[in-house]
Each structure stands twice: as C-alpha cells, then as structure tokens.
Amino acid sequence: MSRETRPNLILPSEITHYCATEDQPFQNLCDLNEDDLADVLAKLNARRRGDGDFKRVFGRRYMELRRRTEAKLRSLFEERGGRPERQSPHYFVLGECEWFAGLYPDARRVSLDWRGLSPEIASFTYPDSFVSMRLGSEYGLPDDPREPYHERVFLLNELADVVSEFGIPDGAKDETYVDYQNRKFEKYIEVQVWSDAPIAEFLTRE
C-alpha cells in the first residue's frame, strides 16, 4: 500500500453497519449468555451450510478470539481517553464496503453520520479489529506483516489524517469468499461505537 499523502482523497461522511436482511441490526454475540450463544452460533453455521449465499464463518474458537480482541480494543480505547458505555462495541465500516455486503445474500445496511458521534464513545481501527489487534495467529489465522496502524486504536478526529496517509482499503466484493478468513484481510476501516445511544431507534424496533 502506498503511503504518500493523498490530498484529493474524499473522506466519507457516513459509516455503515451490515447484517442479513432477515436479522435485526446490531445483534452482538458477546451480549448473549452462554446457552443462548451456543444456540445462535449453531443456527448461524447451519444457515451458512444450508445456503451458499451466506458467507460468514464462525469457527470453533471464534468467540474466544472475539472476546480477547474486544478486551484489547477496549483497553487501548480507554488509554486514548475513551469512555465506553458497553463492554463490546457496535461495528461499522467507514463509508460502504461491497466486500462486507457480499457476506450476505441480501445485505441490510444501516448508516450514520460519524461526524455527530462523541469522541468518547467512538473509535476506529485500520483495518478490521481482528487484524489490527493481531491475536489471530494464536488461532491459526495468517500472521500478516505488521503495519504501522496495527495494534492501535484511533479517535475519530484522527480519521482524516489516517486516511490521508494510508488511503481507504479496497473493499471490492470477493469472487468466491472461499477461505477468506485465511487470506490477507484489509478490506475496510472499522468504526466501533461503544454506546447504544446513537442507534437506540434500531434497538427498539420489532
């Protein structure tokens, strides 16, 4: 990735959350108790096996990696002055990402203007936090070369500078998604919202 300054790069004003159309948005697996979690994961994996258009993979150690990643993410955010209101964030990508939308046969999208978010409850990583926090190699995932933006949590007021220096990853749709979790994975800038308040209207809908 070229790292020269990109003065003409347009910074998206919105962030986007993706989920399957039949699902409610902002359902976080880490919010579930163990019994409910096991049931939901079984249903998610059965849906992927039964319908090749569902591409998301939830491996045997996925939740352990997710919890450790989120704990590290939260700690680094607090060190930067963040005041998270949740143990686990709600996840978005900067702008839009057709790669992420392609994980579902018909993706549902929810967009917010990130410029209205308080810096105390929102952060971002470059790229996805699983990659950025660099714990995946302990779970058999590729250990990609370390980049200067890895193992860092950024504040929203740093977004323009980070995008100017590193650009926005190419989030083009994958041709097959086969074994995507074991390939180099820099598809988007991930934005974490550590509060229910900005998305309250979606949490109360049936």
Side-chain angles (χ1 to χ4, degrees), residues 69-118:
T69 296
E70 289 184 350
K72 184 173 181 178
L73 190 64
R74 192 174 194 272
S75 177
L76 290 174
F77 181 44
E78 290 175 329
E79 289 178 8
R80 297 295 315 276
R83 296 184 179 181
E85 298 171 5
R86 293 175 46 86
Q87 286 296 117
S88 301
H90 297 295
Y91 292 100
F92 294 79
V93 302
L94 178 66
E96 294 188 345
C97 178
E98 290 308 308
W99 184 92
F100 210 121
L103 291 171
Y104 309 103
D106 185 16
R108 180 176 182 178
R109 306 170 190 233
V110 177
S111 296
L112 294 179
D113 189 330
W114 63 267
R115 295 170 299 182
L117 296 173
S118 166

Side-chain angles (χ1 to χ4, degrees), residues 1 3 8-9 22 29 47 82 86 91 102 119 136 145 149 163-164 167 175 183 186-187 201-203 205:
M1 180 183 296
R3 295 182 186 155
N8 298 320
L9 210 161
E22 62 264 43
L29 292 171
R47 182 164 65 176
R86 293 175 46 86
Y91 292 100
Y149 40 76
V163 168
S164 177
E175 290 185 6
R183 292 188 262 134
E186 297 209 354
K187 303 292 186 181
E201 64 176 295
F202 299 100
L203 299 179
R205 292 177 180 174

Side-chain angles (χ1 to χ4, degrees), residues 145-164:
R146 186 179 299 274
E147 300 287 356
Y149 40 76
H150 287 168
E151 293 191 279
R152 296 177 65 183
V153 170
F154 298 95
L155 305 181
L156 290 182
N157 61 7
E158 299 172 299
L159 191 50
D161 288 340
V162 171
V163 168
S164 177

Side-chain angles (χ1 to χ4, degrees), residues 17-23 44 47 52-56 58 98-108 173 177:
H17 171 83
Y18 294 94
C19 64
T21 300
E22 62 264 43
D23 294 338
L44 288 172
R47 182 164 65 176
D53 288 334
F54 284 93
K55 306 297 196 306
R56 288 204 67 175
F58 299 93
E98 290 308 308
W99 184 92
F100 210 121
L103 291 171
Y104 309 103
D106 185 16
R108 180 176 182 178
K173 187 175 289 188
Y177 290 86

Side-chain angles (χ1 to χ4, degrees), residues 125-148:
T125 54
Y126 194 118
D128 178 271
S129 53
F130 268 16
V131 176
S132 179
M133 295 296 101
R134 298 188 64 82
L135 298 173
S137 61
E138 299 177 35
Y139 297 85
L141 298 176
D143 189 16
D144 292 334
R146 186 179 299 274
E147 300 287 356

Side-chain angles (χ1 to χ4, degrees), residues 57-74:
V57 175
F58 299 93
R60 182 173 56 86
R61 301 180 70 186
Y62 173 84
M63 286 307 302
E64 182 181 343
L65 173 57
R66 171 176 280 276
R67 290 190 178 107
R68 288 187 60 200
T69 296
E70 289 184 350
K72 184 173 181 178
L73 190 64
R74 192 174 194 272

